[in-house]
Amino acid sequence: MGIFNGAVTKIREINRTYAVPRIRLTTGTKVILIALRIYLLTLVGLLLYSLVTRLGY
């Protein structure tokens, strides 16, 4: 159990270190990332729609 507790402690320490992002995004970068997210969600939606219609549900 000592090894497991040590690993958990180390992981928590790493998570605390990187909890707050240190980079700053410009407005343009944020817009592009939102556009990419919408694009990917649209692709997933189309894929699911295609799957459902081909299976006949």
Side-chain angles (χ1 to χ4, degrees):
M1 282 298 229
I3 295 171
F4 182 71
N5 288 337
V8 169
T9 304
K10 187 70 172 173
I11 291 170
R12 286 185 180 157
E13 179 184 334
I14 291 169
N15 286 339
R16 258 185 258 114
T17 302
Y18 295 106
V20 179
R22 295 180 181 158
I23 62 171
R24 304 231 185 251
L25 299 177
T26 64
T27 305
T29 305
K30 289 179 185 178
V31 169
I32 294 297
L33 288 174
I34 290 171
L36 283 171
R37 182 176 291 171
I38 292 169
Y39 174 70
L40 289 173
L41 289 174
T42 303
L43 286 178
V44 169
L46 287 171
L47 179 67
L48 290 175
Y49 174 77
S50 175
L51 180 67
V52 168
T53 56
R54 288 177 192 254
L55 292 177
Y57 288 115

